[in-house]
Amino acid sequence: MSFSSRVKEELSRQLSPARHCRIAETAAIISLCGKIEIDAEDRLCIKINTENAAVARKYFTLLKKTFNISTEIIIRRNAYLNKKRSFQVSVSDDGDARKVLLAAKLLDEHGEIGENLSVVGNLVVQNPCCRRAFLRGAFLAAGSISDPEKFYHYEIPCISQAKARQLQGIIAAFDMDARIVQRKKYFVVYVKEGSQIVNLLNVMEAPVALMELENIRILKEMRGSVNRQVNCETANINKTVSAAVKQIEDIIFIRDTIGLEQLPAGLCDIAKLRLERPEASLKELGEALNPIVGKSGVNHRLRKLSIMAEELRGES
């Protein structure tokens, strides 16, 4: 089971005790993955289509607990898509359908249904708790989260820009920054920052998935920190080795050209010591001298030897 499916499975078991929150969640599900059918006698039927059994189960439970109405569930299997199942949850009774749509503010007092089942400006999302429930329903209906082991990405596609703007505003109400991008005929609300996705899981009330994501984030950050430290140390070692090789080449050139005995005592001592201890650091070289010399002093003498070698090379 994918991480996104595990999140939906956990959210499907979250049932708010408050009726107004359950209505907000129902409104989100109908708005993002539902459709209304009207027959010749103006009787309404609500149909929810999903490929996720957890979402179908949650919608069935919401209707039963909130409105005490019976629903019809049809399971279909597509022979052309690896026998993948799809679920259709229907409210076929006209009176029950109108009751649900009126409560969700998707049907006005004149019996008119909002275009694209729009919930923009809907009163069901006035309270913060209802906005949490609405976001949970929207994610259950159409959302997805990528595998956090690979990358961070949370998205909910909407059929209209107005719906996408509303979802963006609800997410912003919880101090998170969601973006919108158009993908074919959909307007996709998405979040890519790991810490904000953690906050979204908290808002939607998925604590188990939240802890799983946090653990993955911590491990990834630790690995990144260790890799940066190793890379830094490797670069320093390479730099030190390259410098030591160049110093030894210069000292050997001076020795073979004029002899180390022709150098001042301080330069002669450090030159001989570098040839004896090619792997030693500047600090170790300084501590091996008598009297002891600091790192800057050792570096200064080796630089003078390098300059001298370059001058000798120029003369020859």
Side-chain angles (χ1 to χ4, degrees), residues 158-159 161 180-190:
C158 302
I159 198 67
Q161 189 174 23
I180 298 175
V181 64
Q182 187 168 3
R183 190 186 299 155
K184 294 183 180 178
K185 64 178 182 178
Y186 292 100
F187 295 87
V188 182
V189 182
Y190 71 92

Side-chain angles (χ1 to χ4, degrees), residues 220-245:
K220 287 175 77 171
E221 287 175 6
M222 286 178 62
R223 288 193 206 108
S225 178
V226 169
N227 287 338
R228 285 192 295 272
Q229 189 172 350
V230 169
N231 291 340
C232 182
E233 290 177 356
T234 301
N236 288 337
I237 290 170
N238 290 337
K239 185 178 178 182
T240 301
V241 170
S242 299
V245 169

Side-chain angles (χ1 to χ4, degrees), residues 68-214:
N68 193 27
I69 60 177
S70 299
T71 55
E72 181 183 322
I73 300 179
I74 299 173
I75 303 174
R76 296 188 178 92
R77 192 179 292 275
N78 192 326
Y80 300 100
L81 295 174
N82 299 321
K83 297 184 179 180
K84 197 168 187 178
R85 293 182 304 173
S86 65
F87 303 86
Q88 185 180 85
V89 184
S90 303
V91 180
S92 302
D93 182 80
D94 178 72
D96 290 342
R98 290 180 184 275
K99 185 195 301 183
V100 173
L101 293 173
L102 282 169
K105 301 296 187 290
L106 294 169
L107 190 71
D108 64 22
E109 64 274 13
H110 305 296
E112 296 294 328
I113 301 169
E115 186 178 356
N116 290 324
L117 293 175
S118 178
V119 285
V120 178
N122 201 319
L123 296 175
V124 298
V125 291
Q126 280 189 323
N127 301 323
C129 59
C130 293
R131 286 194 285 270
R132 287 174 179 268
F134 188 89
L135 199 56
R136 181 166 60 244
F139 180 79
L140 279 168
S144 65
I145 299 182
S146 64
D147 182 354
E149 290 280 7
K150 298 176 182 177
F151 55 93
Y152 304 123
H153 186 83
Y154 169 105
E155 69 171 43
I156 301 176
C158 302
I159 198 67
S160 70
Q161 189 174 23
K163 286 185 183 181
R165 293 287 184 197
Q166 182 186 30
L167 270 178
Q168 185 184 39
I170 290 173
I171 293 172
F174 295 101
D175 298 321
M176 287 172 281
D177 183 27
R179 305 292 180 88
I180 298 175
V181 64
Q182 187 168 3
R183 190 186 299 155
K184 294 183 180 178
K185 64 178 182 178
Y186 292 100
F187 295 87
V188 182
V189 182
Y190 71 92
V191 175
K192 281 189 171 293
E193 190 178 331
S195 61
Q196 293 200 3
I197 295 175
V198 168
N199 291 338
L200 278 167
L201 291 174
N202 181 47
V203 167
M204 296 189 300
E205 298 178 287
V208 176
L210 185 154
M211 290 305 299
E212 183 181 348
L213 179 54
E214 276 287 53

